[in-house]
Amino acid sequence: MLDIANIKHLNSGECADIYQVDEQTVLKLSKPGWDREMLYQEYVNGKAIANCGILAPQVYDFVEVDQRYGYTMEKLNDVTLLDLIWKHPLKVISYAKKMAEIHVKIHQAIPPNELPSLADKYKKFIGEKSSIDDKVKSQILQEIDTLCCGTNCICHGDFHPINVLVDANRYFVIDWVLATKGQPETDVAGTYLITKVYSSNKKEKNIFKRWINSIGGKLIANAYLRKYISLTGVDKKTIAKWIPIRAATYLDVGLSPEIEKTFRKILSKHYN
């Protein structure tokens, strides 16, 4: 059994801590009080994804440590695509295009049976949001039923530069907890939306980082979208139809008040 008191703590997120087990292995462990279901679903998704040809960390064992849940996985370099954008701001368009290329490869892979249905997951997720008016909620759920048709693909659910790790010039996609089988347009809409509206950190002293977080975010989003459409021929109008739905999925998940305000404006404008 793992003893977290005797292994190195590497990083912390909102819901989990990362520990180094050995030179090749890390442990992702839930924060105290988080339930088992979320980490177990991420474990199942990650294990399935790593076995279907997508560059993602290899996932090993699901564990319980001191009434906390998690799993062990392959240790990678912790440099994200966003770190590279900050380090090389003049290459922002090139990195945005790389994002699109990675996303296309995800959507071209055969979705494993272990992934849940996007329609079912989103309807449950949005249906439980108390901050959305019931009338608006009903409209969103109807639109999900209308738009969820055609061939399913792997949808990451939260694909953006922070969820891409760069190790030895290879790009690994992480954090598969929201992965589903669904329409690629919704995944693209989510990436475009969260990248574009991500607000500037006013406390950030580095001018390039503040630029990337504000103006740069729009450049990344637009360049990413153009490249994705050029590679796939996907209908931009269909992507646009998913924007308000994806705005709803990003509410009440711990984002900044400024971003939530932007997303609520999108809902108000679309569902009036």
Side-chain angles (χ1 to χ4, degrees):
M1 182 176 178
L2 292 169
D3 182 0
I4 60 174
N6 294 319
I7 56 178
K8 183 179 180 181
H9 179 264
L10 296 178
N11 207 346
S12 291
E14 180 185 352
C15 64
D17 293 305
I18 304 294
Y19 298 89
Q20 181 170 331
V21 178
D22 55 42
E23 291 300 317
Q24 291 81 37
T25 312
V26 294
L27 166 68
K28 183 170 185 177
L29 194 64
S30 65
K31 298 278 191 181
W34 283 78
D35 66 20
R36 179 182 185 276
E37 181 181 356
M38 184 192 71
L39 264 295
Y40 187 73
Q41 185 64 61
E42 184 173 350
Y43 162 76
V44 171
N45 290 354
K47 205 169 185 65
I49 290 296
N51 292 328
C52 68
I54 294 173
L55 267 184
Q58 288 293 322
V59 174
Y60 304 129
D61 301 310
F62 191 78
V63 299
E64 179 182 352
V65 181
D66 299 333
Q67 296 183 314
R68 298 165 64 184
Y69 302 97
Y71 57 91
T72 54
M73 62 180 173
E74 177 184 8
K75 183 180 184 297
L76 297 170
N77 191 339
D78 62 357
V79 175
T80 70
L81 186 57
L82 185 61
D83 291 330
L84 291 186
I85 292 171
W86 281 345
K87 187 176 181 180
H88 307 287
L90 296 181
K91 295 182 178 180
V92 60
I93 301 299
S94 175
Y95 287 131
K97 291 179 179 179
K98 186 65 181 180
M99 271 180 61
E101 293 169 1
I102 296 168
H103 216 177
V104 168
K105 289 182 179 179
I106 292 173
H107 292 161
Q108 289 175 338
I110 298 174
N113 293 330
E114 292 88 341
L115 296 184
S117 156
L118 182 145
D120 292 345
K121 190 177 183 88
Y122 278 22
K123 285 192 289 186
K124 183 177 184 293
F125 191 44
I126 292 171
E128 293 174 346
K129 289 183 181 290
S130 60
S131 67
I132 301 177
D133 179 83
D134 285 343
K135 182 180 178 180
V136 171
K137 194 180 294 185
S138 178
Q139 290 178 277
I140 295 173
L141 298 181
Q142 288 177 15
E143 287 192 349
I144 291 175
D145 280 332
T146 300
L147 292 170
C148 282
C149 59
T151 303
N152 286 337
C153 72
I154 296 172
C155 293
H156 181 277
D158 193 28
F159 182 77
H160 52 69
I162 296 176
N163 278 339
V164 179
L165 294 183
V166 184
D167 191 312
N169 292 319
R170 296 190 299 167
Y171 296 80
F172 292 81
V173 182
I174 62 171
D175 287 354
W176 291 91
V177 66
L178 299 177
T180 57
K181 290 180 290 190
Q183 283 57 52
E185 293 90 347
T186 182
D187 219 23
V188 175
T191 297
Y192 175 79
L193 185 63
I194 195 65
T195 304
K196 185 175 183 179
V197 306
Y198 197 83
S199 60
S200 174
N201 179 357
K202 295 179 175 60
K203 295 181 180 180
E204 177 58 64
K205 295 181 180 180
N206 185 303
I207 189 170
F208 283 129
K209 290 184 179 182
R210 292 188 64 181
W211 176 79
I212 289 299
N213 279 346
S214 53
I215 299 173
K218 296 176 183 178
L219 286 177
I220 296 169
N222 290 327
Y224 153 83
L225 184 61
R226 287 194 300 269
K227 182 65 174 180
Y228 186 95
I229 291 173
S230 74
L231 291 172
T232 63
V234 70
D235 184 6
K236 188 176 182 180
K237 291 181 180 179
T238 304
I239 296 172
K241 291 177 181 178
W242 278 102
I243 291 291
I245 298 172
R246 291 311 312 270
T249 67
Y250 276 118
L251 294 176
D252 307 325
V253 294
L255 297 176
S256 72
E258 293 83 9
I259 294 178
E260 284 227 353
K261 185 177 179 180
T262 300
F263 290 160
R264 293 190 189 280
K265 284 182 178 178
I266 292 173
L267 292 186
S268 298
K269 183 178 180 181
H270 187 76
Y271 303 107
N272 49 34

